[in-house]
Amino acid sequence: MKLTKKLLDNLIEKAREGMENSYSPYSKFKVGAAVLGESGKIYQGTNIENASFGVTICAERCAIFSAIAAGEKTIKAIVIVFKQKGLGPLSTPCGACRQVMAEFGSQDMPVCTADLSGKKAKRIVCKKLKDYYPYPFNSKALK
Ligand code: THU
């Protein structure tokens, strides 16, 4: 699927809302995500940390699980936002989140990241899931 500018803007705004709800007292790195479900509805997520660090959930998985819990069977796009520190490379989704994206999204699914350190989204990068995760483990291996 191809993301129109309007849809991308809507997803970024939903992801920003998610980011504002981030519970990240340990890393202080707020992340937001927005997922487009197959129904056309948008679901937001955020990173939710825990004093037992390993229990933390990333924004991407939070948004995807929220979509699935609401009845979506597949996801069509995901946008991830954060406040980028400095001019270094833009953050990318972690490996666990890429694996979960591959469970519910196609290899051609748009995966976009954007820096929301300012008022307007900067450095918007849209790739396909296969660019981030070309050889996912999937159910074929279990047959
Ligand atoms: N985090 C995400 O939400 N998504 C990612 O893809 C990478 C990391 C969160 C988890 C943790 O709350 C914080 O960023 C620092 O790792």
Side-chain angles (χ1 to χ4, degrees):
M1 81 106 46
K2 196 156 161 35
L3 276 184
T4 60
K5 183 171 175 334
K6 186 167 181 283
L7 188 49
L8 179 60
D9 286 348
N10 287 345
L11 285 161
I12 290 174
E13 278 322 300
K14 273 284 180 198
R16 183 197 296 277
E17 250 179 67
M19 186 181 75
E20 281 161 7
N21 294 333
S22 170
Y23 176 74
S24 43
Y26 306 105
S27 73
K28 309 227 168 2
F29 187 59
K30 292 173 189 259
V31 186
V35 158
L36 178 67
E38 65 181 28
S39 71
K41 285 191 196 149
I42 296 176
Y43 302 85
Q44 70 192 46
T46 191
N47 55 328
I48 304 171
E49 298 185 345
N50 195 280
S52 175
F53 295 167
V55 185
T56 291
I57 182 109
C58 293
E60 297 90 323
R61 275 175 291 152
C62 179
I64 295 168
F65 294 159
S66 170
I68 301 305
E72 302 289 349
K73 301 296 175 218
T74 64
I75 61 170
K76 297 295 172 207
I78 183 164
V79 170
I80 305 127
V81 301
F82 38 78
K83 296 182 184 189
Q84 185 74 25
K85 291 194 174 93
L87 294 171
L90 204 62
S91 284
T92 61
C94 83
C97 292
R98 293 177 199 200
Q99 176 65 29
V100 173
M101 287 176 205
E103 185 76 25
F104 299 109
S106 79
Q107 282 279 288
D108 285 322
M109 177 176 80
V111 178
C112 304
T113 52
D115 172 13
L116 289 191
S117 57
K119 263 205 165 137
K120 268 187 71 182
K122 283 182 291 203
R123 298 175 70 188
I124 302 171
V125 175
C126 287
K127 293 179 183 282
K128 291 183 172 183
L129 178 55
K130 65 183 168 208
D131 299 321
Y132 281 121
Y133 200 46
Y135 301 106
F137 178 79
N138 57 35
S139 60
K140 286 181 201 138
L142 305 176
K143 283 178 183 137

